[in-house]
């Protein structure tokens, strides 16, 4: 387990009043919803599903648990996600409302109404159909942050083709792996991505991935012209997005699908093996996206919502593509990075676009604290942030000092700061404060959302008392939960409903502890070999395999070490096939290995520290002693017992990080 600062309530924490007139107004209202769900779990979810979604065919069954843990929700109901996110807003009188305020890397701002977004999605949906993409076909989306990226996702949803969005920072090899695993028939990409004043050749990377073999089913590559940069072209397969759109009518009959129809497959890292394709449903997933927009973010018609995530991650799926549109909100979508052209970009954008709800990652906050401390011009107090009313964080623990700075310097002590805990697999928020109800404690994600039956148990599945740490589980199924791992149902069952816990509890993979007085949850970090680097999930095994594939490397082991800014830093222990390098040679090899990992997985997986030794410290039975490596990575003096280590002498060789 790894956290950077144990999340203890701080006596100096700012007292932030709860908001008045919020969707969940006061603790009594929260408790009433929790009680409603406890009384009749199915009736609770059925009520929400009827109130928050438009169904083509109403469901009559709520939960089917006959084949647990492959739970089914609202299974005989029919709907379409893009209908709920677009057509429904037009019918409800929001046609002229701004759906998206898009700000490009260079600062250019464009706005698109719900009406215009609807037409763009319909044209693209028609174009995909015209190219032979049918219901159930999978489409990979490898796009920059853009209106077009969101439109691509909604267009897939419109025709019932599950999308699989791959983060634009992943390498050709990672993209290839995902395209093959999901069995894509089409790819939607851009010529280039523009971020932080630099460009990245997305289309070239797609071409490279498509030549690696195994993805021959891809017959169409749609390209959004973002920069106009030169790109390779394969006639017949490649098509410009704008040309396809021009040729199509601007309405498109949605494909009505069953509630369990897979809306998307999103790859995420596990502790072992290749990244897994988390499969989400249409009805249950969309329901929670819409409900949490109202409950957690208290979204109101006049709000301007801004989630800074990328559509390549679950946060961008739920709180950019589906959640805000399902509730007809106006949202900001940003192409660039928080530090370009300077580290005041976020605050400047909040001021200019009058953002009222802001949702970002602790890593971004921590890095902006540093720059703001060094330069008053980029400090949030140099901007008018009075439009803000709610702040949120996601993806990793937020340490109380960063929380307090965010609350005071960005939120002016007025705005609730919501530390939202959830996962790719959970589809939406699981444990989070509610802005109109929950008294806040920095460093705690507080209480489970109504209907989410979270608990903390020991390794055998038994409840632990408050104040005692354990593993976080969810007892009852909930509609937005992962349905399976694409193509690997057994991995789903064993990984999330392990026998050791009795096979009936959803295992989140995180440790947690509840406060003895308040019952508030604090997440203490992953209990498996998954790292959280800048809020991005990385499997240590994945990075190890990438390193081990390098011809210079004999053995590689990867662990995390706490890092003040990015949460956890990647540390690689390497044994080369040749002699252990030292001095300038060690630096040269380390840089070569970093570049290699960048190519194999993507820049986010590059190890921060690389340490070389003659052999890996192992037990007599040949197991790498990770616990020891973690201490070395932190720079701790090795005080622990090394008697079980076969070759303790090598430990000191790894002392220096390159
Ligand atoms: O370890 C937890 C951490 O991020 C993991 C989920 O990562 P991912 O599937 O990529 O989704 C991130 C965005 C929802 C969790 O298992 N995590 C997420 N939110 C928090 C968190 N850790 C502490 N506090 C949080 N609020």
């Amino acid at each position: 387990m790894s956290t950077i600062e144990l999340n203890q309530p701080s006596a100096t924490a700012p007292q932030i009043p709860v908001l008045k007139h919020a969707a969940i107004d006061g603790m009594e209202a929260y408790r009433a919803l929790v009680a409603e769900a406890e009384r009749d779990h199915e009736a609770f979810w059925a009520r929400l599903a009827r109130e928050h979604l438009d169904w083509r065919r109403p469901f009559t069954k709520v939960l089917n648990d006959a084949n647990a843990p492959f739970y089914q929700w609202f299974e005989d109901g029919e709907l379409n996600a893009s209908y709920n996110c677009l057509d429904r807003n037009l019918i409800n009188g929001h046609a002229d409302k701004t759906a998206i305020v898009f700000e490009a890397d260079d600062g250019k701002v464009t706005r698109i109404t719900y009406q215009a977004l609807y037409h763009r999605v319909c044209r693209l949906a028609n174009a995909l159909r015209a190219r032979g993409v049918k219901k159930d076909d999978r489409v990979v989306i490898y796009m920059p942050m853009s209106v077009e990226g969101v439109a691509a996702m909604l267009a897939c949803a419109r025709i019932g083709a599950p999308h699989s969005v791959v983060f634009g920072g992943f390498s050709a090899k990672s993209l290839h792996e995902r395209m093959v695993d999901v069995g894509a028939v089409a790819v939607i990409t851009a010529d280039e991505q523009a971020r932080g004043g630099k460009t990245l050749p997305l289309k070239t990377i797609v071409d490279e991935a498509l030549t690696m073999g195994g993805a021959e089913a891809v017959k169409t590559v749609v390209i959004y012209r973002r920069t106009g940069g030169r790109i390779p072209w394969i006639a017949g397969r490649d098509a410009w997005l704008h040309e396809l759109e021009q040729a199509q009518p601007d309405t498109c009959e949605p494909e009505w699908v069953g509630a369990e129809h897979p809306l998307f497959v999103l790859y995420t890292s596990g502790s072992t093996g290749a990244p897994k394709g988390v499969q989400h449903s249409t009805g249950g997933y969309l329901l929670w996206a819409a409900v949490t927009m109202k409950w957690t973010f208290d979204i109101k018609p006049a709000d301007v919502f801004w989630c800074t995530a990328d559509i390549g991650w679950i946060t961008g799926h739920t709180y950019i593509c589906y959640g805000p549109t399902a509730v007809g909100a106006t949202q900001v979508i940003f192409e660039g990075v928080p530090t370009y052209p300077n580290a005041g970009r976020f605050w400047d954008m909040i001021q200019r676009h009058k953002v009222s709800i802001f949702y970002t990652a602790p890593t971004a906050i921590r890095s902006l604290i540093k720059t703001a401390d060094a330069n008053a011009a980029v400090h949030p107090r140099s901007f008018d942030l009075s439009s803000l009313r709610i702040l949120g964080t996601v993806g990793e623990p937020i340490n109380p000092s960063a929380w307090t700075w965010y609350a005071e310097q960005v939120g002016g002590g007025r705005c609730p700061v919501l530390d939202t805990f959830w996962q790719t697999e959970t589809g939406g928020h699981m444990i989070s404060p509610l802005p109109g109800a929950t008294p806040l404690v920095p460093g705690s994600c507080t209480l489970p959302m109504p209907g989410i039956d979270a608990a903390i148990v020991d390794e055998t599945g038994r409840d632990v008392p408050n104040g005692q740490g354990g593993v976080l589980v969810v007892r009852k199924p909930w509609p937005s939960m992962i349905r399976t791992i694409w193509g690997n149902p057994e991995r789903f069952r064993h990984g999330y409903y392990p026998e050791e816990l009795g096979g009936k509890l959803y295992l989140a993979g995180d440790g947690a502890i509840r406060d003895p007085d308040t019952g508030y949850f604090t997440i203490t970090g992953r209990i498996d070999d998954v790292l959280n680097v800048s809020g991005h999930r990385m499997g240590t095994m994945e990075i190890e395999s990438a390193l081990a594939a390098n011809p210079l490397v004999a053995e590689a082991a990867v662990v995390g070490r706490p890092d003040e800014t990015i949460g956890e830093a990647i540390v690689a222990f390497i044994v080369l096939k040749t002699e252990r390098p030292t001095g300038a040679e060690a630096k040269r090899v380390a840089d070569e290995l970093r570049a290699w990992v960048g190519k194999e997985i993507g820049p986010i997986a590059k190890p921060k520290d690389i340490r070389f030794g003659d052999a890996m410290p192992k037990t007599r039975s040949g197991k790498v002693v990770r616990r020891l490596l973690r201490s070395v990575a932190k720079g701790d003096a090795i005080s622990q017992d090394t008697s079980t280590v076969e070759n303790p002498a090598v430990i000191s060789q790894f002392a220096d990080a390159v």
Side-chain angles (χ1 to χ4, degrees):
M1 289 187 202
S2 48
T3 42
I4 35 174
E5 185 181 318
L6 199 60
N7 292 325
Q8 291 299 332
S10 123
T12 56
Q15 294 299 309
I16 300 166
V18 295
L19 296 187
K20 295 206 172 75
H21 314 298
I24 298 183
D25 199 9
M27 278 312 266
E28 280 312 306
Y30 165 73
R31 286 199 199 95
L33 284 165
V34 171
E36 181 192 343
E38 274 171 9
R39 253 191 330 270
D40 191 337
H41 194 62
E42 288 190 37
F44 168 83
W45 287 111
R47 174 177 75 76
L48 293 178
R50 288 190 190 102
E51 285 174 9
H52 295 270
L53 294 182
D54 278 20
W55 296 86
R56 175 69 167 191
R57 197 173 92 157
F59 56 90
T60 61
K61 291 188 207 143
V62 183
L63 170 65
N64 177 350
D65 58 4
N67 193 21
F70 299 91
Y71 297 103
Q72 311 240 293
W73 286 89
F74 321 118
E75 61 183 332
D76 62 345
E78 278 180 13
L79 76 171
N80 178 280
S82 103
Y83 178 91
N84 274 273
C85 296
L86 298 170
D87 311 44
R88 165 161 88 149
N89 292 315
L90 310 188
I91 294 162
N92 292 342
H94 303 312
D96 297 329
K97 183 170 178 174
T98 300
I100 296 170
V101 178
F102 175 72
E103 180 155 322
D105 193 49
D106 64 7
K108 184 164 180 274
V109 175
T110 42
R111 290 182 167 73
I112 183 163
T113 61
Y114 271 101
Q115 182 77 57
L117 183 62
Y118 162 81
H119 288 311
R120 289 208 68 177
V121 169
C122 286
R123 287 176 188 276
L124 177 54
N126 287 327
L128 291 172
R129 273 188 181 148
R131 284 256 169 174
V133 181
K134 319 176 292 300
K135 183 181 177 215
D136 294 323
D137 285 344
R138 276 84 59 201
V139 177
V140 161
I141 296 176
Y142 188 62
M143 295 276 271
M145 288 302 294
S146 51
V147 170
E148 289 71 12
V150 170
M153 293 165 78
L154 292 171
C156 291
R158 194 157 194 94
I159 61 172
H163 55 69
S164 191
V165 185
V166 178
F167 174 58
F170 277 120
S171 67
K173 192 143 185 268
S174 295
L175 173 63
H176 171 256
E177 205 172 64
R178 288 158 174 76
M179 287 191 310
V180 172
D181 191 77
V182 86
V185 303
V187 178
I188 308 177
T189 188
D191 51 359
E192 295 181 314
Q193 166 172 303
R195 284 181 90 219
K198 300 193 195 98
T199 56
L200 186 75
L202 294 183
K203 167 63 165 62
T204 307
I205 297 172
V206 168
D207 281 8
E208 198 185 329
L210 285 172
T211 54
M212 289 178 178
E216 290 73 23
V218 173
K219 297 282 184 267
T220 294
V221 176
V222 178
I223 305 121
Y224 155 49
R225 188 154 71 194
R226 167 61 188 87
T227 64
R230 281 175 63 86
I231 55 167
W233 195 266
I234 295 188
R237 186 197 71 183
D238 296 351
W240 286 113
L241 173 68
H242 58 272
E243 289 179 1
L244 289 179
E245 281 185 341
Q246 272 159 20
Q248 294 295 330
D250 63 5
T251 59
C252 169
E253 177 63 12
E255 182 81 44
W256 303 105
V257 298
E260 281 297 317
H261 180 76
L263 180 60
F264 63 86
V265 175
L266 180 60
Y267 284 81
T268 190
S269 293
S271 50
T272 54
K276 46 196 177 184
V278 172
Q279 180 181 321
H280 275 288
S281 69
T282 300
Y285 169 81
L286 192 65
L287 172 63
W288 202 223
V291 172
T292 50
M293 282 302 296
K294 294 177 188 168
W295 286 359
T296 315
F297 293 124
D298 184 40
I299 193 87
K300 298 258 167 43
D303 274 315
V304 177
F305 180 81
W306 182 17
C307 166
T308 68
D310 192 284
I311 52 168
W313 311 115
I314 190 68
T315 310
H317 281 58
T318 309
Y319 298 109
I320 294 177
C321 181
Y322 291 106
T325 54
V327 298
T330 295
Q331 69 172 320
V332 173
I333 292 186
F334 177 41
E335 181 177 42
V337 298
T339 48
Y340 179 82
N342 60 54
R345 185 73 182 258
F346 275 1
W347 324 131
D348 182 44
M349 285 181 61
I350 292 171
Q351 172 179 294
R352 278 187 289 109
H353 300 305
K354 299 198 168 37
V355 171
S356 56
I357 305 170
F358 181 62
Y359 194 35
T360 195
T363 288
I365 297 165
R366 287 191 293 261
S367 73
L368 295 176
I369 292 175
K370 280 198 197 161
T371 46
D373 283 348
N375 176 5
V378 298
H379 195 287
R381 70 171 165 261
S382 303
F383 299 83
D384 176 5
L385 305 182
S386 57
S387 57
L388 287 171
R389 62 185 199 92
I390 293 174
L391 300 174
T393 66
V394 56
E396 45 178 335
I398 178 159
N399 44 312
S401 53
W403 190 102
T404 301
W405 185 89
Y406 192 33
E408 288 176 340
Q409 307 301 327
V410 182
R414 298 182 323 280
C415 310
V417 173
L418 316 174
D419 172 359
T420 63
F421 168 82
W422 59 295
Q423 308 176 294
T424 304
E425 295 88 340
T426 70
H429 300 149
M430 297 300 277
I431 309 181
S432 171
L434 301 170
T438 322
L440 302 169
V441 171
S444 169
C445 51
T446 73
L447 297 170
M449 300 293 288
I452 302 299
D453 192 7
I456 303 178
V457 299
D458 64 17
E459 311 76 64
T460 62
R462 267 197 309 260
D463 273 347
V464 299
N466 287 358
Q468 191 177 316
V471 298
L472 180 67
V473 296
V474 186
R475 293 178 192 291
K476 293 189 190 127
W478 68 103
S480 69
M481 66 188 293
I482 173 176
R483 290 305 189 265
T484 187
I485 290 175
W486 184 261
N488 202 341
E490 281 315 301
R491 191 172 174 197
F492 164 73
R493 185 202 293 276
H494 296 310
Y496 296 100
Y497 284 88
E499 287 299 317
E500 304 87 82
L501 299 184
K504 289 202 158 64
L505 301 174
Y506 167 84
L507 178 69
D510 284 286
I513 185 165
R514 295 186 78 159
D515 183 88
D517 300 326
T518 57
Y520 278 13
F521 286 72
T522 287
I523 306 297
T524 52
R526 299 285 307 191
I527 54 171
D528 52 13
D529 289 324
V530 171
L531 306 182
N532 193 323
V533 184
S534 309
H536 299 149
R537 231 162 114 170
M538 297 296 327
T540 48
M541 278 253 311
E542 260 174 275
I543 309 171
E544 282 170 13
S545 317
L547 284 164
N550 183 286
L552 296 174
V553 174
E555 265 189 288
V558 168
V559 299
R561 75 163 161 78
D563 180 282
E564 260 193 8
T565 308
I566 60 173
E568 246 181 324
I570 301 170
V571 182
F573 291 79
I574 304 283
V575 177
L576 295 183
K577 286 179 185 156
T578 52
E579 228 168 71
R580 171 162 60 100
T582 52
E585 176 64 2
K587 188 163 177 342
R588 195 191 60 73
V589 179
D591 286 345
E592 192 177 323
L593 294 179
R594 284 193 186 96
W596 172 270
V597 174
K599 271 268 195 221
E600 288 283 300
I601 304 175
I604 50 171
K606 285 185 185 176
K608 189 154 182 182
D609 303 346
I610 294 190
R611 293 163 183 263
F612 295 101
D614 287 334
M616 215 47 96
K618 286 185 184 166
T619 60
R620 290 195 178 85
S621 56
K623 277 188 79 160
V624 175
V625 272
R626 290 179 170 276
R627 139 190 84 80
L628 210 119
L629 296 186
R630 277 192 276 269
S631 302
V632 175
K634 273 199 272 185
D636 290 351
I638 305 301
S639 53
Q640 45 190 295
D641 181 14
T642 54
S643 61
T644 55
V645 182
E646 169 93 63
N647 49 354
V650 297
I651 298 168
S652 61
Q653 295 177 350
F654 287 103
D656 296 323
V658 190

